Amino acid sequence: MKLLSAYGVALLAAQAAGVAIKHRINGLTLTEHPDAAKRELLQKYKVKALGFNCVSFYVDWALVEGKPGEYRADGIFDLEPFFNAAKEAGIYLLARPGPYINAESSGGGFPGWLQRVNGTLRTSDKGYLDATDNYAANVGATIAKHQITNGGPIILYQPENEYTSSCCSVEFPNADYMQYVEDQARNAGVVIPLINNDASAEGHNAPGTGKGAVDIYGHDSYPLGFDCANPTVWPSGDLPTDFRTLHLEQSPTTPYSIVEFQGGSYDPWGGPGFAACAELLNNEFERVFYKNDFSFQIAIMNLYMIFGGTNWGNLGYPNGYTSYDYGSALTESRNITREKYSELKLLGNFAKVSPAYLTASPGSLTTSGYADTADLSVTPLLSNGTGSFFVIRHSDYSSEDSTSYKLSLPTSAGTVTIPQLGGTLILNGRDSKIHVVDYNVSGTNIIYSTAEVFTWKKFSDSKVLVIYGGSGEHHELSIATKSNVTVVEGSASEITSKQTGKAVVIGWDVSATRRIVQVGDLKVLLLDRNSAYNYWVPQLATDGTEPGFSTQETVASSIIVKAGYLVRTAYVEGADLYITADFNATTAIEVFGAPSNAKNLFINGDKAKYTVDKNGIWSTEVKYTAPDISLPSLESLEWKYLDTLPEIQSSYDDSLWPDADLDKTPNTFRELTTPTSLYSCDYGFSTGYLLYRGQFVATGNESTFLVDPQGGSAFGSSVWLNGTYLGSWTGLYVYSDYNATFDLPQLEAGKTYVITVVIDNMGLEENWTVGEELMKTPRGILNFELSGREASAISWKLTGNLGGEDYEDKVRGPLNEGGLYAERQGFHQPEPPSQNWKSSSPLDGISEAGIAFYSASFDLDLPTGWDVPLYFNFGNSTTPEPYRVQLYVNGYQYGKYISNIGPQTNFPVPEGILNYRGTNWVAVSLWALSSEGAKLESFELSYTTPVLTALAEVQSVDQPKYTARKGAY
Ligand SMILES: *[C@@H]1O[C@H](CO)[C@@H](O)[C@H](O)[C@H]1NC(C)=O
Ligand SMILES: *[C@@H]1O[C@H](CO)[C@@H](O)[C@H](O)[C@H]1NC(C)=O
Ligand SMILES: *[C@@H]1O[C@H](CO)[C@@H](O)[C@H](O)[C@H]1NC(C)=O
């Protein structure tokens, strides 16, 4: 608590995808992007530039303890490079290691082997608690090592995740359980404050509630919901109004904290796509909903997600597809071209320079007293002369009207009716503003401003305040000064001003052309919102090149830079001012407040010629000439082909396959309806495709075979009898399992037959509701019936990834590969032994049901100094024949495409997985779920706008190549 009050400014956090962690940087989660250190660094400057000072990250237990008792957090799963990168960027971290994380991840982060634990998950049952100990001790120790008290960036620790909902008569909330999880952290050496995230504001485990209480109570909120299919609809009543009241009831002694506030939305298989989610949760949503949070005096605000990333390597749960873009401010391919990024930057930087906001007294929302129309509602945060804030919005929050209004605000100069100089204020539809009163700009009192504050800075010889308004709006500003107003840039005729006693009042219509007015030693930049988007406030490093943490921003020094796409960092060395920035177009650059000792300007290491105008603004330009990018045609690679379903050949030998011979299941979720367990996790297979082989000796009287495979939402399944294709379930989002009955050909009495069943395992269910035990929902075969026969007539074998929990690929981790023959052999890795494979391309495909595997290599030679997002694009399916594709890039699974369900056809693969200057291996598995076969209709490597980048060269992750695997079958 002391720690927090010392910050002095709102702690703005953002969840991002992380390293061994899922890529959930809601602000930050690790693991998604294996090339952790460098790439996370990149994300962090993008988050830091928003004015945010913290990133939260999940750790995905399933990725670091694939085998019970073996915690492995090295290579791409190492958390420490990520922690170091955060420190370097000056970003605090909120650690969210679970053990349960939800996060739209397979099992909600629980490893598959938890299906075998005898004990209710997320309760104090011993079986479950024991299972968590090894992970908690290991991850806890690593976090402890990097907490702020040890010089690291981690300031908060969140035990559990959305511990809020229960069913089925389990004890809830279970104080012993929550205390156990907290003790695990404390016993591992974690001393920083514990914060929780109740899924909704219900007060669970708030301070003062006894055993299991955390230090800081927080809750989550996704008020606009997840209906991306209707991205312009704001249903009535979705805007929260009671958060402050609940806070005062539930946890009045702690900073008001929303640990996950909506930053986007998930999207299911077959959904409308993340572009639609980004539209639903767009810049207007941010303006109205985030400012509404500010009206409650939010002190810790964490957005989920700021960067969602990719469900690579089977990381996701069944209801989501490969992309976890989330419609976030940072897109899956890491660009910041969505307007919501820019809008967020305006708000984040405002919070950073407005510490008075945290000490004002929030009042109640009112439709009278401040605005002169009941169409508008205002929430005041009042102080007596030391900074008041008035959050204004439409009373009908979803209104699309433009409403004229006058304000009556209490100020140190008495109650003023605004505008004083004529004109009218306007609030456009789906907008909200924070009007400031008695706002302290380094000793100058802004009596009020109807234009919103982006930032202000005190430089050695002047002060700069940057304010903005929407296009077409009229604004007014009043400053306590006797100085005159001089328009030092732009046309004076458009600006009115008047001395009134001890203040000056300035009125103007917003223009796309910047105006600067000078009042005493204060320069005020009058901008329109779109222009404000181009301004950045990099914090000058006090020592060296790294900015350091920025919660003390009001005292730390920064410069203000007008540029374009992104400004990352700024630092001074002797007489040289260095700026690092990214460009997606030729960009004029201006520097405000260059330190007086700085004489030379360097941009991305190159010395720049600049001019200085009469206002001391440095100007230069960075030229952008798009580089030549030539990408190989994937369609014309030398593809090698392998039938990856040898199991249906008569000669196939499955003697090395594990027997499905458990006559009891340890899984308490569902009783067996088969003589032996056919639940894959009972045998250690919890990820990727599953294969079953059932052998029986025919009597000749069998006429049908029924099978009920379960793979999760949108799963598919195909069934063969020996080499004869019986049929497929091609998948629908609403089916997690599907009972299919197949007619059999006439079988020969006394002959041995094998039924082969292939199942697409879409990941394990989450376990959100305690007691429901959904995570234990089995994968595999729930039931089967061979007509006229006892179930015991069939003896089953099964496989998933080679070795199951003794997984082969320690580098790419326990979830990356599934059970196809080619995957078991490791042929999805670089340099498979394909010399003698047939030449055939996935564009040719196969002409009957089956599963084909293709591998090819290509070289890339992309220019250095450019950030070029690359995508593998499958095109839109136009054929009725359904097929499923897995995309492997240098051995990492980076895409699952389902032609008949979608919606994703375009799969970004980051640099570092792809070698931008070197050889790459791509593999594709193509599963045809129809007797017509299937082929890819198109397959292309494409790119979007190359960004001239300050980013250091990306080092590729380890990409072990194929070596023959011992015991592979
Ligand atoms: C930004 O990312 C999104 C999502 O990955 C993508 O659709 C869009 O094309 C990208 N834009 C640029 C300019 O890279
Ligand atoms: C505000 O402060 C002034 C000066 O200290 C005092 O005269 C006045 O009563 C205060 N007003 C309120 C509402 O507290
Ligand atoms: C689980 O544990 C309970 C209590 O110890 C025991 O009664 C039950 O038989 C166990 N179940 C399994 C499937 O092992």
Side-chain angles (χ1 to χ4, degrees), residues 441-463:
V441 174
S442 190
T444 298
N445 184 27
I446 306 298
I447 295 175
Y448 64 83
S449 171
T450 64
E452 291 187 278
V453 173
F454 168 55
T455 192
W456 59 265
K457 287 291 153 232
K458 164 103 178 73
F459 301 124
S460 55
D461 56 351
S462 68
K463 295 189 278 205

Side-chain angles (χ1 to χ4, degrees), residues 12 38 132 158 268-269 271 275 313 358-359 395 443 462 485 492 584 622 660 748 864 870 947 966:
L12 290 177
K38 290 255 167 70
T132 64
Q158 181 196 297
W269 285 104
L358 285 182
T359 52
S395 299
S462 68
V485 176
N584 62 1
V622 168
E748 222 176 282
T864 54
L870 294 187
V947 174
K966 250 210 201 109

Side-chain angles (χ1 to χ4, degrees), residues 123-384:
T123 71
S124 55
D125 284 0
K126 187 168 184 311
Y128 168 71
L129 293 182
D130 288 352
T132 64
D133 282 343
N134 183 47
Y135 167 68
N138 278 287
V139 78
T142 306
I143 289 168
K145 185 176 159 197
H146 292 269
Q147 60 195 333
I148 192 165
T149 48
N150 291 332
I154 307 172
I155 55 168
L156 290 167
Y157 184 100
Q158 181 196 297
E160 250 286 344
N161 187 81
E162 295 190 332
Y163 184 64
T164 304
S165 190
S166 70
C167 76
C168 320
S169 339
V170 291
E171 179 191 342
F172 191 91
N174 181 330
D176 289 336
Y177 168 56
M178 199 60 177
Q179 190 61 50
Y180 190 90
V181 177
E182 292 166 17
D183 289 346
Q184 283 178 321
R186 294 299 188 215
N187 294 340
V190 171
V191 300
I192 50 178
L194 303 179
I195 187 169
N196 68 335
N197 70 328
D198 220 352
S200 47
E202 296 177 34
H204 291 117
N205 303 106
T209 56
K211 206 170 189 184
V214 291
D215 299 309
I216 302 170
Y217 174 75
H219 68 87
D220 295 353
S221 174
Y222 292 82
L224 196 50
F226 309 98
D227 185 11
C228 302
N230 294 293
T232 61
V233 177
W234 287 14
S236 67
D238 274 5
L239 189 74
T241 53
D242 59 351
F243 281 176
R244 174 94 195 145
T245 315
L246 292 171
H247 170 64
L248 293 177
E249 282 166 24
Q250 294 168 346
S251 193
T253 61
T254 60
Y256 179 53
S257 305
I258 304 187
V259 183
E260 291 179 23
F261 194 79
Q262 185 157 26
S265 171
Y266 58 79
D267 190 46
W269 285 104
F274 284 114
C277 297
E279 193 187 341
L280 176 68
L281 292 319
N282 65 2
N283 48 305
E284 293 178 333
F285 162 79
E286 292 180 330
R287 286 213 287 273
V288 174
F289 283 76
Y290 295 176
K291 285 174 187 168
N292 186 56
D293 288 340
F294 273 62
S295 79
F296 308 125
Q297 201 171 47
I298 189 166
I300 297 179
M301 179 181 188
N302 187 29
L303 300 179
Y304 190 100
M305 306 287 299
I306 200 85
F307 172 62
T310 306
N311 287 316
W312 69 276
N314 300 305
L315 199 49
Y317 79 148
N319 297 0
Y321 44 94
T322 305
S323 175
Y324 194 65
D325 175 279
Y326 213 77
S328 297
L330 276 67
T331 71
E332 183 185 17
S333 55
R334 299 174 293 99
N335 72 57
I336 50 173
T337 54
R338 286 180 180 149
E339 189 170 351
K340 63 187 293 186
Y341 177 89
S342 302
E343 182 67 48
L344 197 54
K345 183 175 64 167
L346 301 184
L347 187 62
N349 280 286
F350 164 69
K352 198 168 172 179
V353 297
S354 305
Y357 159 75
L358 285 182
T359 52
S361 306
S364 302
L365 176 109
T366 174
T367 54
S368 63
Y370 300 114
D372 64 345
T373 162
D375 289 345
L376 301 181
S377 295
V378 176
T379 307
L381 295 102
L382 295 169
S383 71
N384 189 2

Side-chain angles (χ1 to χ4, degrees), residues 806-874:
D806 276 308
Y807 55 101
E808 282 285 326
D809 189 345
K810 299 291 189 279
V811 169
R812 298 179 185 90
L815 299 185
N816 185 58
E817 63 191 44
L820 288 181
Y821 170 71
E823 294 174 295
R824 294 178 337 239
Q825 297 291 330
F827 295 160
H828 55 286
Q829 302 180 106
E831 300 180 34
S834 55
Q835 300 77 8
N836 300 323
W837 300 2
K838 239 178 77 180
S839 288
S840 175
S841 144
L843 283 302
D844 300 330
I846 50 179
S847 56
E848 55 187 13
I851 312 182
F853 185 81
Y854 303 90
S855 171
S857 69
F858 60 86
D859 291 342
L860 289 177
D861 187 17
L862 290 159
T864 54
W866 293 87
D867 186 5
V868 187
L870 294 187
Y871 303 78
F872 288 81
N873 191 343
F874 291 102

